[in-house]
Amino acid sequence: MIEIDNVSKCYGSFQVLKNCSASIADGEVVVICGPSGSGKSTLIKTVNGLETIDSGEINVSGFRLAPDVTNVAALRRSVGMVFQSFELFPHLTVLSNVTIAQIKVLKRSRAAAEEKARMLLARVGLSGHITKYPAQLSGGQQQRVAIARALALDPKVMLFDEPTSALDPEMVNEVLEVMTGLARQGMTMVCVTHEMGFARSVANRVLFMDDGEIVETAASAKFFDDPQSERAKAFLAKILRH
Amino acid sequence: MSLLFEPTPDGAGRYLDWILNGLCWTLLLALGAWTIALVVGTLVGVARTLPNGILLRLGRVYVETFRNIPLLVQMFFWYFVLPELLPVRIGMAIKQMDPPWGSFIPALICLGLFTAARIAEQVRAGLQALPPGQIQAASALGFSPGGTYRLILLPQAFRIILPTLTNEFMTIFKNTSVALTIGLVELTATAREINENTFRTFEAFGVVTIVYLVIALIAWQVMHRIERAVQLPSLVSGRARP
Amino acid sequence: MTVDLAALVNAFPFLLKGLWFTLQITLVGVCGGIVFGSLLAIARLSQNRLLSTLATAYVNLMRSIPLILVIFWVFFLVPWAIGWITGNGRPVAVGASLTIFVTFVLFEAAYYAEIVRAGFRSISPGQYAACDALGLSKLHAYIYILFPQAIRNVLPILLTQTIVLFQDTSLVYVISATDLLGAATKIAQRDGRLVEMYLIVGVIYFVFCFAASQFVKQLQGRLAYGVR
């Protein structure tokens, strides 16, 4: 489904991604973890073209991303993204947030878009909040709307960039539950997250990144029980201490 | 631009002299009014933050009056209406003031008080942006109210509002042009006179436009230097950090 | 000094005519100014260096010179400009109204441009990314997501600038136009009733502007996106 082949990227003189390669199969749930500044966010944003790459190639379900490819509009329809800061549109209702891209990008009729939106909002448990504005919702509720908004375009892949990092602890679970449900239904997911519990129980594989490189890849259980690289061991020791 | 160096009809010099004369009046009016505005504006602004109800209301009346009537109408009031409303002898004395001063003094008072109303609002906003703990701390140290404002609150408030004050400073130079309606031969009036004498519209107004641009540039530079010189790291962007 | 009520009542229709012209200038200035100003703001934010430099230069120029000077510029030069464009070679007489409308749109646009630009800068940068991620075209993103938020964030300031515009219209006095102040002046000079006329005009302006600024204050309270 997704092939990342020797991707590199520089910001000025700082190399943020160094020859990263990975392969994600259809229906797989992959977690990318690592210390701050390791390039995790940048890597995941290259998959839907929000960040360009300087060298290498990415293939997403047949769509080719390379330094020379500039038109990525078509790609956005098959890849959905959820942001750390939710980024709901504050001037639109919850329902409108989920329908606007369907209407403007996929050219669905308003009726079809609303029907889909209601279905998705019910799925994430927010049917009663359809006419509210984002500011009236809690962080956890806003993030669930954001997930519904991304799902409304029927993507083949869902990307999550630290979806729970900006949430108060008591709201993290409601979002993780939605993500777990998605995984169980077979969605291909790539998640940058610090939630190791989620990674261990839901993810198929873990990609560990440090300093711009993908240092270790392993099945999730194996990664947590028996990390191979020194850097992964050090990272896990710091994270799992509490 | 050769216009500048041609002799004037009254043989008393060149057009350049007219421009310099106009420039002098503009600068004199602007800087004089600015001084009045700072003093009066600060007093009124402070008055609007005091617990004294009478001062608060008086301040509000002052600000609302001077902000909701156009500057030109206010000029007419000071020049035409006030002499009529005052006791006959004072009114006559005012009307008999010699030409430049007969226009300059009303313009000075008018522009000064007009700008003061705007500065008062900005000072009030700056004072209200300070953490309430500042007054408490000053009290605890034994400062009198006057001392508190002079030494603790106003220095901080002014740093916060420097950007808006800069805007006000640049505006006052533009507002001096309104005084031409009551007979002050400042820069814009000079442009009009040169045009009437030579019909070289483009040059006459062009030169004056350039002079205004230079004034704006210098005014901005001056305020910018002041801003940099008094900047406190914790007050950048107007928010005090603990 | 006595107040002559009969004269005041007589003057009223003419004053209303002047007020109407004032309102017309304000309306044209606001609509034209916001449209042109928004275009300038977008031009300033665009990637095209030439476009953004030109827009920035225009905005800075207009904001550095007095409105009275701009009024004179347009008043004296538009006839020449039209004559030149139509190949006439001689200045073409243009109505005072048109000159005034053009002046105010050109001038106020620079101020609205700054406000709209501030509006765009107040939008969280993630919004642009979210629009991108959903595949919204740049045009759609600006029309449906970015522009509405920008305007909403600065609506009170936009309205305050409109109140300033309303006051600025009085400056058309310098070309003897008949706005509210011009009408009052003409009556004052004809009837010798300076004091009453200028006081009335002051009161009329005050009432309009004070009411409008109170409205803006109320609006500011209600525009917050809502607190949980």
Side-chain angles (χ1 to χ4, degrees):
Chain A
M1 175 68 81
I2 303 180
E3 290 289 333
I4 302 173
D5 190 16
N6 251 317
V7 163
S8 297
K9 184 181 174 73
C10 291
Y11 278 132
S13 55
F14 172 63
Q15 187 160 24
V16 59
L17 294 175
K18 301 173 186 164
N19 290 321
C20 300
S21 293
S23 175
I24 298 163
D26 194 3
E28 243 199 310
V29 176
V30 171
V31 159
I32 306 180
C33 66
S36 306
S38 53
K40 324 188 284 288
S41 269
T42 313
L43 182 63
I44 201 177
K45 285 184 181 154
T46 58
V47 176
N48 73 342
L50 277 183
E51 294 273 3
T52 54
I53 57 181
D54 295 334
S55 69
E57 197 175 290
I58 302 179
N59 203 300
V60 181
S61 187
F63 193 98
R64 179 179 160 268
L65 280 167
D68 58 329
V69 174
T70 46
N71 188 344
V72 293
L75 176 61
R76 304 276 165 72
R77 288 166 219 196
S78 28
V79 181
M81 184 151 205
V82 175
F83 299 86
Q84 180 176 352
S85 49
F86 336 135
E87 297 304 342
L88 291 183
F89 302 134
H91 60 302
L92 301 177
T93 58
V94 164
L95 187 67
S96 295
N97 259 279
V98 181
T99 57
I100 188 165
Q102 294 184 64
I103 298 174
K104 300 294 169 193
V105 178
L106 297 184
K107 312 271 194 271
R108 286 184 187 152
S109 75
R110 180 169 287 279
E114 284 191 7
E115 198 188 309
K116 178 132 195 134
R118 284 174 207 275
M119 192 240 335
L120 284 170
L121 286 167
R123 207 162 119 191
V124 300
L126 289 171
S127 301
H129 302 268
I130 289 189
T131 52
K132 290 196 183 155
Y133 285 88
Q136 297 169 287
L137 303 178
S138 73
Q141 290 169 328
Q142 289 188 48
Q143 193 62 302
R144 287 187 273 152
V145 174
I147 296 177
R149 180 176 69 173
L151 287 175
L153 301 183
D154 293 319
K156 300 195 192 112
V157 179
M158 280 288 278
L159 305 176
F160 293 84
D161 185 8
E162 304 213 35
T164 56
S165 297
L167 295 176
D168 288 335
E170 66 266 21
M171 291 187 255
V172 168
N173 271 330
E174 64 194 62
V175 174
L176 289 182
E177 265 168 33
V178 171
M179 289 167 67
T180 308
L182 261 183
R184 298 256 157 80
Q185 281 157 1
M187 173 67 77
T188 313
M189 292 163 59
V190 182
C191 312
V192 173
T193 183
H194 295 299
E195 293 296 326
M196 295 301 129
F198 172 82
R200 194 193 263 269
S201 58
V202 179
N204 301 113
R205 260 193 312 142
V206 171
L207 288 166
F208 173 71
M209 279 187 78
D210 190 10
D211 204 21
E213 299 174 295
I214 299 181
V215 172
E216 190 173 328
T217 313
S220 62
K222 182 152 187 306
F223 176 76
F224 287 106
D225 293 334
D226 188 19
Q228 299 296 309
S229 61
E230 284 308 309
R231 289 194 269 180
K233 287 184 190 159
F235 175 72
L236 283 174
K238 279 191 227 165
I239 291 236
L240 296 174
R241 192 168 287 278
H242 51 85
Chain B
M1 297 305 139
S2 62
L3 173 63
L4 289 178
F5 299 101
E6 289 174 18
T8 60
D10 56 5
R14 306 170 200 271
Y15 285 114
L16 182 60
D17 301 316
W18 284 19
I19 300 242
L20 287 177
N21 191 33
L23 179 61
C24 272
W25 283 112
T26 293
L27 292 178
L28 206 57
L29 180 57
L31 295 172
W34 182 246
T35 313
I36 296 178
L38 274 181
V39 171
V40 175
T42 307
L43 289 172
V44 176
V46 168
R48 293 200 64 186
T49 60
L50 293 176
N52 185 329
I54 301 182
L55 280 179
L56 249 168
R57 253 168 287 150
L58 276 179
R60 175 112 200 262
V61 167
Y62 172 83
V63 167
E64 294 293 348
T65 310
F66 281 81
R67 288 184 69 183
N68 287 309
I69 302 180
L71 178 58
L72 181 52
V73 176
Q74 294 186 32
M75 281 263 174
F76 281 1
F77 177 80
W78 289 100
Y79 188 69
F80 291 114
V81 177
L82 188 64
E84 303 294 330
L85 295 180
L86 291 174
V88 180
R89 273 190 323 163
I90 305 183
M92 290 298 288
I94 294 181
K95 284 192 261 188
Q96 276 159 5
M97 258 195 292
D98 278 336
W101 303 106
S103 303
F104 182 77
I105 305 282
L108 181 67
I109 301 177
C110 174
L111 191 53
L113 293 181
F114 173 82
T115 310
R118 296 160 67 115
I119 292 187
E121 280 302 270
Q122 289 159 19
V123 168
R124 178 174 76 102
L127 286 171
Q128 287 175 339
L130 296 175
Q134 291 287 302
I135 299 187
Q136 291 162 8
S139 259
L141 286 169
F143 276 100
S144 68
T148 306
Y149 272 97
R150 197 165 48 89
L151 298 165
I152 311 292
L153 301 176
L154 284 175
Q156 293 185 59
F158 269 106
R159 282 171 170 82
I160 295 179
I161 62 174
L162 257 177
T164 35
L165 273 187
T166 304
N167 213 359
E168 215 53 61
F169 188 54
M170 296 178 63
T171 303
I172 213 174
F173 285 98
K174 294 183 274 177
N175 281 340
T176 56
S177 61
V178 180
L180 69 75
T181 59
I182 58 172
L184 186 67
V185 188
E186 43 71 64
L187 260 182
T188 311
T190 308
R192 185 173 59 173
E193 270 196 31
I194 298 181
N195 179 47
E196 275 162 19
N197 274 284
T198 65
F199 290 104
R200 283 150 76 164
T201 314
F202 199 76
E203 286 172 74
F205 286 114
V207 168
V208 162
T209 301
I210 293 180
V211 175
Y212 275 112
L213 287 177
V214 171
I215 292 179
L217 209 61
I218 297 180
W220 188 84
Q221 273 291 331
V222 167
M223 291 302 276
H224 193 60
R225 297 274 164 99
I226 297 181
E227 242 182 284
R228 291 253 292 276
V230 301
Q231 201 174 66
L232 292 172
S234 66
L235 282 181
V236 170
S237 89
R239 264 182 310 132
R241 284 204 290 272
Chain C
M1 183 213 86
T2 53
V3 175
D4 186 345
L5 273 178
L8 287 181
V9 170
N10 276 338
F12 218 63
F14 196 53
L15 275 182
L16 275 183
K17 199 157 159 267
L19 179 58
W20 176 230
F21 187 46
T22 295
L23 291 171
Q24 282 179 305
I25 306 173
T26 308
L27 198 64
V28 171
V30 171
C31 297
I34 292 191
V35 168
F36 186 30
S38 301
L39 291 175
L40 282 170
I42 294 182
R44 287 188 74 172
L45 296 168
S46 107
Q47 312 283 35
N48 183 331
R49 286 291 288 272
L50 180 63
L51 201 60
S52 70
T53 312
L54 280 176
T56 307
Y58 178 87
V59 169
N60 286 335
L61 171 67
M62 278 297 167
R63 287 170 56 102
S64 305
I65 60 181
L67 175 53
I68 293 186
L69 187 60
V70 178
I71 293 178
F72 282 148
W73 265 115
V74 178
F75 184 67
F76 286 117
L77 284 191
V78 161
W80 282 102
I82 299 196
W84 181 72
I85 292 178
T86 60
N88 210 328
R90 311 243 76 234
V92 174
V94 173
S97 302
L98 185 60
T99 312
I100 292 172
F101 290 151
V102 167
T103 306
F104 274 83
V105 169
L106 289 179
F107 185 75
E108 297 289 335
Y111 289 81
Y112 282 121
E114 279 297 271
I115 299 172
V116 171
R117 189 170 79 112
F120 274 111
R121 289 170 70 175
S122 70
I123 303 178
S124 143
Q127 291 285 302
Y128 293 85
C131 289
D132 261 351
L134 285 172
L136 282 171
S137 72
K138 268 237 153 8
L139 186 65
H140 280 154
Y142 267 97
I143 297 179
Y144 294 103
I145 308 294
L146 303 170
F147 202 68
Q149 287 188 59
I151 296 288
R152 189 182 170 135
N153 286 348
V154 292
L155 193 57
I157 311 181
L158 278 178
L159 289 176
T160 306
Q161 181 62 33
T162 305
I163 299 177
V164 170
L165 208 178
F166 179 69
Q167 296 185 9
D168 280 347
T169 59
S170 58
L171 292 177
V172 300
Y173 170 85
V174 304
I175 53 175
S176 305
T178 310
D179 71 316
L180 178 60
L181 181 64
T185 308
K186 287 175 178 149
I187 298 172
Q189 285 165 351
R190 182 194 70 190
D191 294 344
R193 311 257 85 189
L194 270 175
V195 173
E196 291 97 320
M197 284 296 115
Y198 289 149
L199 281 177
I200 290 183
V201 163
V203 168
I204 296 179
Y205 273 113
F206 180 82
V207 168
F208 270 82
C209 295
F210 183 68
S213 63
Q214 291 305 103
F215 172 70
V216 173
K217 278 212 185 103
Q218 291 235 348
L219 195 65
Q220 252 168 322
R222 289 196 291 168
L223 266 184
Y225 275 121
V227 189
R228 204 163 175 271

